[in-house]
């Protein structure tokens, strides 16, 4: 988490090896990323982007991009997990429903949830999620939070979020500012410490009382 421009999305891009780090290293499975073929790295990673791109074609086509051999039952289970069952049942076309050019027949929130379902079908070890609830309402966010909890039982989740409610129960929260790590801890620890996170939590109604002035940054 962190203010806009702090380096959150760039961090995910480095993990996906869209860029190589200028210094330091990122490891996966006990090996530096740069020592592994990109295909091997990405075989372990699933990515849900903020824009949630949807291709022209059917509902099934979009879901099977991640899992070409998936059965219709598996597709329906994934849609149910993210609260999209109605899309496959509201039209007689079912999973064959044409979504229009770049998914124009879906709302922004529906496109985002479809991206969630597609990534779930890929069944990766590590999920990278860039603002995964940015286009959904609070009711849907609550549903997706349950889905996040279920996903976290089997894999590692690395999530970029402006809505702290999305990540407040995570095991570890890393706070970025101006491209630097300024704090690491749990939600309970970070809201008690003066700094960027406590300010964000206060603005979003996740704390009570006044917020102290930030302390000096800690570079990492």
């Amino acid at each position: 988490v962190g203010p806009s421009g702090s380096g959150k999305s760039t961090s995910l891009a480095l993990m996906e090896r869209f860029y190589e780090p200028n210094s330091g290293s990122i490891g996966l499975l006990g090996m530096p990323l740069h020592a592994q073929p990109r295909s091997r790295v990405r075989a372990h990673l699933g990515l849900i982007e903020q824009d949630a791109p949807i291709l022209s074609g059917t509902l099934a086509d979009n879901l099977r991009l991640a899992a070409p051999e998936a059965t219709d039952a598996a597709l329906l289970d994934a849609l149910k997990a993210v609260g999209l069952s109605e899309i496959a049942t509201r039209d007689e076309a079912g999973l064959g429903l044409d979504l229009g050019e770049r998914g124009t027949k879906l709302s922004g929130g529906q496109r985002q949830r479809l991206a969630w379902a597609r990534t779930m079908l890929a069944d990766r070890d590590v999920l990278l999620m860039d603002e995964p609830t940015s286009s959904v309402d609070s009711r849907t966010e609550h549903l997706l939070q349950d889905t996040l909890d279920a996903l976290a039982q089997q894999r590692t989740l690395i999530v970029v979020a402006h809505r702290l409610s999305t990540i407040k129960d995570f095991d570890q929260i890393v706070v970025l500012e101006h491209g630097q790590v300024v704090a690491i801890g749990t939600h309970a620890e970070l809201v008690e410490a003066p700094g960027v996170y406590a300010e964000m939590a206060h603005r979003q109604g996740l704390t009570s009382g006044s917020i102290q002035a930030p302390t000096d940054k800690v570079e990492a």
Side-chain angles (χ1 to χ4, degrees):
V1 301
S4 297
S6 60
K8 302 184 299 295
S9 296
T10 299
S11 297
L12 295 189
L14 288 167
M15 294 174 199
E16 280 275 358
R17 288 195 67 193
F18 295 142
Y19 311 105
E20 300 293 350
N22 295 324
S23 61
S25 65
I26 303 171
L28 176 69
L29 302 176
M31 296 176 60
L33 291 191
H34 66 77
Q36 306 180 54
R38 281 187 173 86
S39 59
R40 182 175 187 267
V41 170
R42 292 174 183 169
H44 290 279
L45 303 178
L47 175 64
I48 297 181
E49 300 176 82
Q50 185 174 355
D51 293 337
I54 301 299
L55 302 182
S56 304
T58 68
L59 183 57
D61 290 338
N62 273 275
L63 288 169
R64 288 197 172 103
L65 285 172
E69 306 302 320
T71 64
D72 285 357
L75 302 188
L76 292 171
D77 285 345
L79 291 173
K80 182 179 180 180
V82 298
L84 278 182
S85 296
E86 79 279 359
I87 291 183
T89 58
R90 73 184 182 191
D91 190 284
E92 63 182 14
L95 290 169
L97 177 67
D98 183 2
L99 301 183
E101 185 174 353
R102 302 185 68 179
T104 53
K105 293 183 180 180
L106 301 178
S107 68
Q110 288 173 328
R111 287 196 295 272
Q112 197 161 42
R113 282 183 281 163
L114 182 56
W116 274 58
R118 187 166 59 198
T119 302
M120 289 174 63
L121 285 164
D123 196 25
R124 302 294 196 231
D125 302 321
V126 180
L127 294 186
L128 308 178
M129 312 175 88
D130 193 356
E131 299 289 355
T133 60
S134 62
S135 298
V136 300
D137 57 33
S138 57
R139 179 174 178 273
T140 302
E141 183 188 12
H142 183 73
L143 168 68
L144 294 182
Q145 188 65 55
D146 291 340
T147 305
L148 270 182
D149 293 341
L151 289 173
Q153 300 304 312
Q154 307 168 46
R155 55 185 61 80
T156 297
L157 306 184
I158 302 176
V159 177
V160 165
H162 276 108
R163 286 185 184 177
L164 301 187
S165 56
T166 303
I167 51 85
K168 67 181 179 65
D169 294 325
F170 274 38
D171 298 311
Q172 188 175 69
I173 299 170
V174 179
V175 186
L176 300 178
E177 189 175 20
H178 305 304
Q180 303 290 336
V181 174
V182 296
I184 300 175
T186 65
H187 173 79
E189 292 167 344
L190 293 171
V191 294
E192 294 298 325
V196 174
Y197 188 89
E199 293 175 359
M200 293 175 67
H202 183 65
R203 287 197 299 271
Q204 295 180 30
L206 296 178
T207 63
S208 59
S210 60
I211 300 298
Q212 302 177 50
T215 57
D216 293 337
K217 299 182 183 67
V218 178
E219 295 191 2

